[in-house]
Amino acid sequence: MKKRNLIAYAFLLPSLCGVLFFYLIPFADVVRRSFLTAVTKEFCGLDNYRTVFQNEAFLLASRNTARFCLFCLPVLLGLGLLVAILLERHCEGKRFLSAYLLPMAVPSATVVLVWKMFFAKQGLFNAWLGDFAAMLGKERVFTTDYMDSGAAFWVLVASYIWKNLGYTVTLWFAGLLSVSSEQREAARVDGAGAWQVFWRVVFPQLLPNLYTIGVLSFLNAFKVFREAYLVAGSYPHESMYMLQHLFNNWFVNLSLDKMAAAAVVTGAVMITGILLLQRLWEKE
């Protein structure tokens, strides 16, 4: 047994060393820098944290990111599960599983071109609205620039769900296939309906998948930056000004003290969120 443990540790050692040297030690240095001034490197206590929490840009980015996570995660998890159930129940639908992964292969630059083509002032979306109004006998020209309005946030939400739905469906689908058909049949024989079979038999066995998908989706929600940056630059409409924009702008301005403090706060929130998900999963 000891020999097996040593072999296991030997295989884990390179990965653990990589995490230590490329993640833990640099993050520890970020924590240290969050208590120092950017130029003189003097200890300043919690001044950087007070500055961050009084910064309007940080508060705006935090609100938008929290709003984004609270809306996108339930929709993504629920929609992914629904699609996976439909695919699992219909044999023909399984052939289309790979189609849901195609958005992950689409380059960000292509997504940006689609955004501009659809949602610009002279874009296709406004043209379709004009055609629809003409069908109703109302001649009207639509010239809204959706990426420079409150609708920009919802475009970002739709893009995130579209691009991440594929792996969510795949993970849910793998979990559904792992549920024994004998258990489902036994529940039906005992008089359970379709909803009871799913809620009492299938869903409890999907909880490990729920935890994995929830954590991955939560982490990916903090990475929604490339498309928004390419389409609107460093300062997009305030509805989709996220923490990634804030960190990018502070890095360009060399505000390393504020950036370090904000990174520690963001890291603490992310770790807390993951631990809460783990705690809920363990209770179940």
Side-chain angles (χ1 to χ4, degrees):
M1 185 63 67
K2 291 183 178 181
K3 185 176 180 180
R4 288 185 178 180
N5 290 337
L6 290 176
I7 294 175
Y9 290 140
F11 279 105
L12 289 173
L13 185 60
S15 178
L16 293 176
C17 289
V19 172
L20 177 65
F21 288 106
F22 293 105
Y23 290 95
L24 296 182
I25 292 179
F27 188 73
D29 185 62
V30 170
V31 175
R32 180 184 68 85
R33 289 174 179 269
S34 68
F35 296 102
L36 305 176
T37 58
V39 180
T40 61
K41 305 298 182 184
E42 296 178 353
F43 181 77
C44 61
L46 298 176
D47 288 347
N48 290 333
Y49 291 91
R50 280 192 287 267
T51 301
V52 165
F53 283 111
Q54 293 172 359
N55 186 279
E56 291 295 331
F58 176 77
L59 297 177
L60 174 64
S62 299
R63 286 195 300 268
N64 287 338
T65 304
R67 178 187 175 199
F68 185 85
C69 292
L70 291 175
F71 181 84
C72 285
L73 294 185
V75 173
L76 182 63
L77 294 177
L79 184 60
L81 179 58
L82 177 61
V83 173
I85 291 173
L86 294 176
L87 290 177
E88 192 256 346
R89 289 186 176 180
H90 301 282
C91 295
E92 293 296 326
K94 298 177 183 179
R95 301 179 182 179
F96 300 99
L97 181 61
S98 59
Y100 289 93
L101 296 174
L102 289 179
M104 299 183 67
V106 177
S108 298
T110 304
V111 176
V112 170
L113 289 176
V114 173
W115 281 19
K116 291 182 177 180
M117 183 173 62
F118 271 86
F119 300 109
K121 286 184 178 181
Q122 306 299 327
L124 292 176
F125 192 71
N126 281 330
W128 291 344
L129 290 177
D131 293 340
F132 182 74
M135 290 175 58
L136 298 178
K138 299 179 180 180
E139 295 294 335
R140 183 178 175 185
V141 178
F142 294 87
T143 58
T144 302
D145 185 359
Y146 295 95
M147 298 311 300
D148 192 28
S149 66
F153 175 82
W154 301 109
V155 174
L156 190 64
V157 166
S159 175
Y160 169 81
I161 294 175
W162 171 72
K163 196 158 190 175
N164 291 277
L165 183 63
Y167 83 85
T168 305
V169 171
T170 302
L171 293 176
W172 279 128
F173 189 75
L176 288 171
L177 292 181
S178 67
V179 179
S180 172
S181 59
E182 288 79 5
Q183 293 181 349
R184 303 187 193 189
E185 189 62 31
R188 294 191 188 98
V189 171
D190 290 338
W195 173 251
Q196 290 177 317
V197 170
F198 173 77
W199 188 249
R200 299 293 184 181
V201 178
V202 177
F203 188 73
Q205 299 185 55
L206 294 178
L207 290 180
N209 299 74
L210 175 61
Y211 173 72
T212 302
I213 299 170
V215 170
L216 291 176
S217 301
F218 179 66
L219 294 177
N220 285 333
F222 283 84
K223 300 178 182 179
V224 182
F225 173 69
R226 288 176 298 179
E227 291 86 353
Y229 178 79
L230 290 173
V231 77
S234 301
Y235 298 94
H237 187 269
E238 65 175 19
S239 66
M240 66 172 184
Y241 187 79
M242 312 291 268
L243 284 172
Q244 298 92 333
H245 293 93
L246 180 74
F247 285 124
N248 179 73
N249 295 334
W250 279 353
F251 179 79
V252 172
N253 296 327
L254 297 179
S255 301
L256 302 182
D257 48 355
K258 292 191 295 184
M259 189 168 67
V264 172
V265 173
T266 304
V269 171
M270 295 176 68
I271 292 173
T272 302
I274 293 173
L275 292 177
L276 287 175
L277 288 174
Q278 184 176 6
R279 185 65 179 272
L280 292 174
W281 175 59
E282 289 175 349
K283 283 184 177 181
E284 294 292 338

